[in-house]
Amino acid sequence: MNTSPNLYVLLLGKFMSLFASSLFTFVAGLTVLTTSGSGLQFALVLLFGTLPRVLLSPLAGVYADKLNRKRVIITMESLSAALFFLAGAASLVWTFGVPVFLIITCLLSIVSTFLSVTLSSSIPFLFDKDELQRANSLIQSVVSISSIGTPLLAGALFLLLPISAFLFSSSLLFIIAALFASRLTFQSYEKTSADHSTWEDVRSGFRYLKRQRVLWTLTVLAALLNFFFVASQVLFPIVALQEIGTSPLQFGLLESMFAVGFLVASLAHALPIFAIKYRLATVRTSLIVMSCLFIAPAVPVYFDFSITPAIVFLTAFTLFSGFFIIRVNIPMQLYLQTNTEPSYLGRVIGVLESLAMGITPLGFILFGALSEWVSVAFLYTVCMVCLLSITLLAMYRIRHDIAAEKAAVSADAESA
């Protein structure tokens, strides 16, 4: 199988930028949680990392369609490097408290929004159609490898190194990522006309997405599901660090197991034998399994596991969760990339991200506050019931589209 030169360049650059941002995010969240012991303050760090993405994703999508995508990617990588260099220099003079971590997290999120939307909408212009599943799968594997290494490295070095070491390291990694981005070669594509206002372009992306029945249903579903998935981001560290009593290194190991599941699934999906035939049906099955798995972190709390059995149980949960998240993401990405007009791709991805994540800030605040008043095990149970109910309702709504996709694939196979 011939491999596009873009693949290696993109994978290496993405690994550097992901590792850099994840390194800071992990250290910032762990610092706030261990020093304050407050689930609400930890949730605020997550909120400040999410809110800019919710507000700015549609705008980022407009500029991805209007501007030179390669130039946007290089600029955003360079701005991230400058941000971390300045933060590292400041950390040598001042001791960072929670407000400083919130400001840095917010600024990083702003830059990362323009970078991620532009990069996501660039995939069909970097690879041929028959390379898309392999490219998406390997990109997910890079995300996984970065997610495995970051918690382990940061957890091991958290008590040994000052915050400045993490910040300067992230700056260097972003510089390397910018150099890799400069080597990308794009296929020719039609840019959006610059005659329309930015707001009109955002509205046109929203109108286009709403006309696509399946994409619109999946977007609304993603928004509702993300509200409850936020619970895991807030509650899982509380379960591991406070309810069970894991060390920072053990918590880093547990966090990395999500990524191991991602890695196994993404590498498997890069092989021709795992080519996805029925994209919507695969999404349906995987979402149902994920919803049922969501109760797992509550089990060690309900049954008062000792620390070793609890870690083993949570490791199994994180592995399976990582696997099925990829099993949802890959077919959804393929459906979006192959069923969206190229000139709308940036705006659709931007609007989709904004709508899908728009409700998550409320989730950060709500679950962060509830974690201080209500049992985390009870919160996990409520979320599992809601997740499963929402998934079944949404899949019932597009049941005819799922059947039509199966029939179309079968017809194509018979004609071939």
Side-chain angles (χ1 to χ4, degrees):
M1 178 183 296
N2 294 327
T3 302
S4 169
N6 281 328
L7 185 60
Y8 300 116
V9 174
L10 182 64
L11 294 179
L12 289 170
K14 191 165 183 67
F15 174 79
M16 295 297 174
S17 60
L18 280 173
F19 198 93
S21 58
S22 298
L23 191 64
F24 170 76
T25 302
F26 183 88
V27 171
L30 194 56
T31 300
V32 170
L33 190 58
T34 54
T35 55
S36 69
S38 170
L40 180 57
Q41 289 192 19
F42 176 72
L44 283 175
V45 175
L46 299 178
L47 173 64
F48 272 63
T50 302
L51 194 57
R53 182 177 292 271
V54 173
L55 299 176
L56 297 177
S57 285
L59 186 64
V62 169
Y63 286 110
D65 286 337
K66 278 186 174 183
L67 303 179
N68 184 297
R69 283 184 165 90
K70 181 176 179 178
R71 191 172 300 164
V72 172
I73 293 170
I74 295 172
T75 301
M76 294 303 111
E77 301 276 23
S78 302
L79 284 176
S80 298
L83 169 64
F84 279 114
F85 180 81
L86 293 175
S91 70
L92 298 175
V93 181
W94 298 288
T95 300
F96 286 178
V98 174
V100 177
F101 283 116
L102 294 179
I103 292 171
I104 298 173
T105 300
C106 183
L107 292 175
L108 175 63
S109 181
I110 292 171
V111 178
S112 296
T113 298
F114 284 85
L115 176 62
S116 65
V117 170
T118 304
L119 200 55
S120 297
S121 64
S122 298
I123 302 300
F125 308 115
L126 293 170
F127 305 99
D128 295 331
K129 191 172 182 179
D130 58 357
E131 294 181 300
L132 281 179
Q133 179 172 332
R134 184 165 181 258
N136 281 305
S137 300
L138 290 176
I139 289 170
Q140 290 287 349
S141 71
V142 165
V143 175
S144 306
I145 293 170
S146 173
S147 300
I148 293 170
T150 303
L152 286 175
L153 181 64
L157 300 178
F158 178 68
L159 299 177
L160 302 177
L161 297 178
I163 186 65
S164 58
F166 294 103
L167 293 170
F168 284 127
S169 297
S170 293
S171 178
L172 178 61
L173 290 170
F174 271 116
I175 291 173
I176 297 172
L179 293 175
F180 277 118
S182 67
R183 303 293 300 275
L184 290 172
T185 303
F186 282 75
Q187 301 169 6
S188 60
Y189 61 91
E190 181 181 351
K191 295 187 181 72
T192 300
S193 171
D195 296 338
H196 301 116
S197 68
T198 300
W199 175 240
E200 179 58 34
D201 284 330
V202 170
R203 291 177 60 190
S204 68
F206 179 81
R207 288 194 297 266
Y208 178 88
L209 179 61
K210 197 167 183 181
R211 289 196 300 267
Q212 312 303 309
R213 171 186 168 82
V214 176
L215 282 177
W216 180 247
T217 301
L218 293 178
T219 300
V220 174
L221 173 63
L224 295 173
L225 293 180
N226 281 344
F227 176 75
F228 293 102
F229 282 135
V230 162
S232 187
Q233 296 182 51
V234 175
L235 301 178
F236 188 76
I238 297 173
V239 168
L241 292 167
Q242 297 180 4
E243 297 286 341
I244 296 173
T246 63
S247 67
L249 179 58
Q250 289 170 328
F251 174 63
L253 178 63
L254 285 174
E255 286 277 281
S256 69
M257 288 300 104
F258 280 111
V260 172
F262 295 159
L263 181 59
V264 172
S266 55
L267 289 176
H269 285 83
L271 301 173
I273 194 173
F274 284 97
I276 296 172
K277 292 173 60 178
Y278 309 118
R279 299 170 184 179
L280 296 178
T282 302
V283 170
R284 177 181 60 186
T285 303
S286 301
L287 279 175
I288 291 172
V289 174
M290 282 174 55
S291 300
C292 295
L293 282 173
F294 206 80
I295 189 66
V299 174
V301 180
Y302 276 132
F303 296 97
D304 198 22
F305 284 16
S306 61
I307 189 166
T308 300
I311 290 175
V312 172
F313 187 85
L314 291 179
T315 298
F317 159 71
T318 53
L319 283 170
F320 281 109
S321 295
F323 182 90
F324 282 102
I325 287 172
I326 293 297
R327 191 68 179 168
V328 171
N329 285 348
I330 294 294
M332 286 187 68
Q333 289 170 348
L334 291 173
Y335 191 92
L336 172 64
Q337 291 167 354
T338 57
N339 289 274
T340 304
E341 291 183 25
S343 59
Y344 279 92
L345 197 53
R347 282 168 287 175
V348 167
I349 289 177
V351 172
L352 192 152
E353 279 202 16
S354 180
L355 292 175
M357 299 183 66
I359 201 170
T360 57
L362 175 61
F364 284 129
I365 296 173
L366 178 63
F367 290 113
L370 287 177
S371 69
E372 301 192 356
W373 304 325
V374 183
S375 162
V376 291
F378 176 74
L379 290 176
Y380 262 116
T381 305
V382 171
C383 289
M384 186 273 290
V385 173
C386 294
L387 276 170
L388 188 58
S389 302
I390 292 168
T391 297
L392 293 175
L393 286 172
M395 293 300 107
Y396 180 79
R397 186 174 186 272
I398 61 171
R399 65 193 185 281
H400 298 304
D401 301 280
I402 296 173
E405 182 191 49
K406 287 184 175 181
V409 171
S410 298
D412 289 342
E414 288 179 3
S415 62

